[in-house]
Amino acid sequence: MKKLITAAAIALLLAGHAAGSSIDIANSAAAPLSLVVDGQAVLPGAPPFHSGGTLYVPARTLLEFYPMQLQWNNTLKQLTLFTSWDKTILTPGTASKQVTYTQTDGGYQEDLDAPVLLKAGRVYIAAATLDSLTGAVTELNPGGSRVNITPGSLSTTVRVPAAPLAIAENNPKVKLYAALKDGNTYKGFILEVNGKKQHFNWTVSRDYSHPPQLFYADVDSDGKPEATVVFTLGTGTSLVAQEVHVVKPEQWKEISVPTADKAASAVVSSSISLDKDDVLLKLELTGPTPSKVALRIPGRAGDGLKYFGSKAAIGAVTYYSVENNKLLADTSLMVGMTESVGTLKLEYKAGKTGMELGSIAFEPDERGEAIVEK
């Protein structure tokens, strides 16, 4: 963790502003390259260039990624980045070392992908360095005239990408865009359906490893398809939180959907007891499709009810999806210290004021021995 934080701090440092002296040690490009971040042109006065076969981009580009305070020492020809936890020093030149002094370890050195350069009073870093420190993707366009940078998961840029975040698999005219990026948060989205667009004030964290999902299907069986958006709010050990939105594009009306955990909790009751050497979990599912299930966990009675609790927990891991014009949800059933024993599988249907639970069934994990009671 410490190394990851320091790598981010190093990246912050490299976002240097114009230097006090001009020492041009780079080769001049035949034609200036343009620089584009998230689909928007930036820093026209500091074009990227190639030197010794290495693509260089202005270090100020990193201002697109991190908040920071910078200080240039014209005497030492050093750039210092200040954050709340450390300071990082970079000296342009042939050396590729960077030194980070923290409040805890006194500092250390680390190699960059290529030497830092000073050109026309600006600090430049190798594109590979930017990529490795930030998770960004830097590439030349096919014509070789433009450098495109797509920020990665560490980015805090407020720039809004021109490309959609999601496109419905069955209809390329159904798209989802970010309306505003604010640090590591998307504040608002634009939904496009068949050329028409509408803004929605949904706010979620930016997570490049779990992008939004977009479906276009008639989930309420009214003969007209709805746009269904699924956001991943967070993940962790035995935790997946998702959020679902269903929109009728004709009126741009969002229809209500009860969350999977609440919908399941309203119709599922449970009790845990000890049965000789085993733990016995009894479930009763009421609602549209009533059923009773007993789940036996062999050889675990020794852990006691203090560990297992008196009833199962619902909803720590939840996934939403759309299949065959049905809005579905899988939500976990857990006992003890986040031990999964199975999945509650929900299918939604149209209700009087929005979507509602249509059916629910329990699917045990393989390690349990389930018995369906009559």
Side-chain angles (χ1 to χ4, degrees):
M1 176 61 71
K2 176 181 174 183
K3 185 172 182 180
L4 175 62
I5 292 175
T6 305
I10 289 168
L12 292 178
L13 157 69
L14 297 179
H17 54 266
S21 68
S22 177
I23 305 174
D24 190 347
I25 58 176
N27 298 330
S28 297
L33 297 171
S34 61
L35 181 63
V36 173
V37 177
D38 259 345
Q40 300 179 41
V42 298
L43 301 174
F49 61 86
H50 286 89
S51 178
T54 299
L55 175 63
Y56 278 84
V57 295
R60 180 176 280 273
T61 305
L62 285 160
L63 286 168
E64 299 287 338
F65 299 87
Y66 300 101
M68 70 196 78
Q69 293 182 359
L70 301 173
Q71 185 179 75
W72 171 255
N73 188 316
N74 196 44
T75 302
L76 298 177
K77 299 297 185 289
Q78 290 181 336
L79 185 65
T80 303
L81 162 73
F82 294 93
T83 71
S84 59
W85 62 88
D86 64 11
K87 67 176 181 180
T88 308
I89 300 172
L90 177 69
T91 304
T94 58
S96 59
K97 294 288 187 180
Q98 52 190 320
V99 183
T100 301
Y101 296 93
T102 69
Q103 298 175 355
T104 56
D105 63 11
Y108 63 92
Q109 294 183 340
E110 193 170 300
D111 287 326
L112 297 173
D113 296 88
V116 177
L117 302 183
L118 189 61
K119 177 181 172 69
R122 291 186 180 274
V123 178
Y124 281 79
I125 59 174
T129 296
L130 183 145
D131 293 357
S132 63
L133 294 179
T134 69
V137 176
T138 304
E139 56 189 0
L140 282 169
N141 72 325
S145 61
R146 183 174 67 247
V147 176
N148 296 314
I149 299 179
T150 303
S153 59
L154 295 180
S155 168
T156 59
T157 174
V158 296
R159 295 187 181 277
V160 177
L165 298 175
I167 301 175
E169 184 176 347
N170 63 333
N171 190 329
K173 294 184 177 181
V174 179
K175 306 174 184 179
L176 181 71
Y177 301 84
L180 175 65
K181 290 192 298 183
D182 185 2
N184 61 355
T185 304
Y186 287 121
K187 291 187 175 180
F189 291 84
I190 296 173
L191 185 60
E192 178 180 353
V193 178
N194 299 323
K196 298 181 179 180
K197 297 181 179 180
Q198 181 67 24
H199 181 275
F200 291 89
N201 292 320
W202 304 322
T203 299
V204 299
S205 297
R206 296 173 57 211
D207 186 349
Y208 276 73
S209 59
H210 300 89
Q213 297 173 270
L214 181 60
F215 304 92
Y216 191 58
D218 183 15
V219 296
D220 67 352
S221 303
D222 69 346
K224 299 177 182 179
E226 288 75 41
T228 300
V229 181
V230 177
F231 296 116
T232 298
L233 305 181
T235 61
T237 303
S238 300
L239 173 66
V240 177
Q242 290 194 333
E243 179 178 281
V244 63
H245 299 272
V246 178
V247 175
K248 302 183 75 64
E250 296 82 9
Q251 305 88 21
W252 294 117
K253 177 185 177 181
E254 182 173 358
I255 58 179
S256 62
V257 181
T259 61
D261 61 322
K262 290 183 178 180
S265 296
V267 297
V268 176
S269 60
S270 64
S271 64
I272 299 175
S273 62
L274 305 181
D275 185 11
K276 297 182 180 180
D277 293 334
D278 303 338
V279 174
L280 189 63
L281 169 64
K282 291 187 176 181
L283 299 176
E284 182 173 356
L285 285 68
T286 58
T289 53
S291 65
K292 293 182 179 181
V293 178
L295 182 69
R296 185 175 296 276
I297 306 176
R300 295 293 302 280
D303 292 333
L305 293 180
K306 185 176 181 180
Y307 172 85
F308 280 101
S310 60
K311 61 181 181 179
I314 296 174
V317 176
T318 298
Y319 292 98
Y320 295 96
S321 62
V322 174
E323 297 179 15
N324 300 321
N325 290 325
K326 297 293 185 181
L327 176 61
L328 308 175
D330 287 354
T331 193
S332 62
L333 194 72
M334 293 187 176
V335 297
M337 305 298 289
T338 66
E339 287 190 34
S340 174
V341 292
T343 301
L344 294 167
K345 305 184 76 66
L346 288 68
E347 180 179 305
Y348 291 89
K349 68 176 183 179
K352 294 181 179 180
T353 59
M355 303 298 291
E356 63 181 30
L357 181 64
S359 65
I360 185 170
F362 174 67
E363 183 177 280
D365 288 349
E366 293 181 359
R367 70 184 188 87
E369 182 182 335
I371 303 171
V372 178
E373 298 180 351
K374 300 296 184 180

